Amino acid sequence: MPAAHQIDIHHVAKLARLTLTEDEAARYAAQLDGILTYIDTLAQHDLGAAEPTAHAMPVYDVLRADVSRPGFTQEQALANAPKRSGDQIQIPKVIE
């Protein structure tokens, strides 16, 4: 495991379109180095027997069943329309 990773923080900041002060650059470089060191630590463990998973806990469908149910009639839907044109709601022009 390398003691320190070579991180060009100014190049990373340029790619992210960030302007960093020298204090911020030093702080972010240290944080990125810590993240990469932790990844190196994880890479040392043999995970060949571990089953890949997308979630730590099982995910169940939490949505309701898609069943049809009665809705509004056309007259009920248009009852509160401020302005109607036949069987449609008429709105003000929004594009010139």
Side-chain angles (χ1 to χ4, degrees):
M1 178 169 65
H5 295 88
Q6 297 297 323
I7 301 171
D8 185 358
I9 196 67
H10 293 289
H11 179 67
V12 174
K14 181 180 176 184
L15 292 174
R17 297 182 181 183
L18 298 174
T19 303
L20 301 178
T21 65
E22 287 304 315
D23 290 338
E24 291 171 332
R27 183 176 54 212
Y28 293 149
Q31 290 174 354
L32 283 173
D33 185 60
I35 292 168
L36 293 174
T37 301
Y38 184 70
I39 291 171
D40 288 341
T41 303
L42 293 175
Q44 292 177 358
H45 296 284
D46 179 26
L47 300 176
E51 183 178 332
T53 180
H55 298 280
M57 299 295 292
V59 178
Y60 299 103
D61 190 9
V62 294
L63 302 175
R64 65 173 170 79
D66 190 15
V67 293
S68 64
R69 56 186 176 156
F72 293 122
T73 65
Q74 189 172 17
E75 272 307 311
Q76 289 172 327
L78 294 172
N80 290 328
K83 194 170 184 183
R84 292 172 60 169
S85 175
D87 61 350
Q88 299 176 357
I89 298 173
Q90 186 174 353
I91 60 170
K93 186 176 178 181
V94 292
I95 299 176
E96 296 293 325

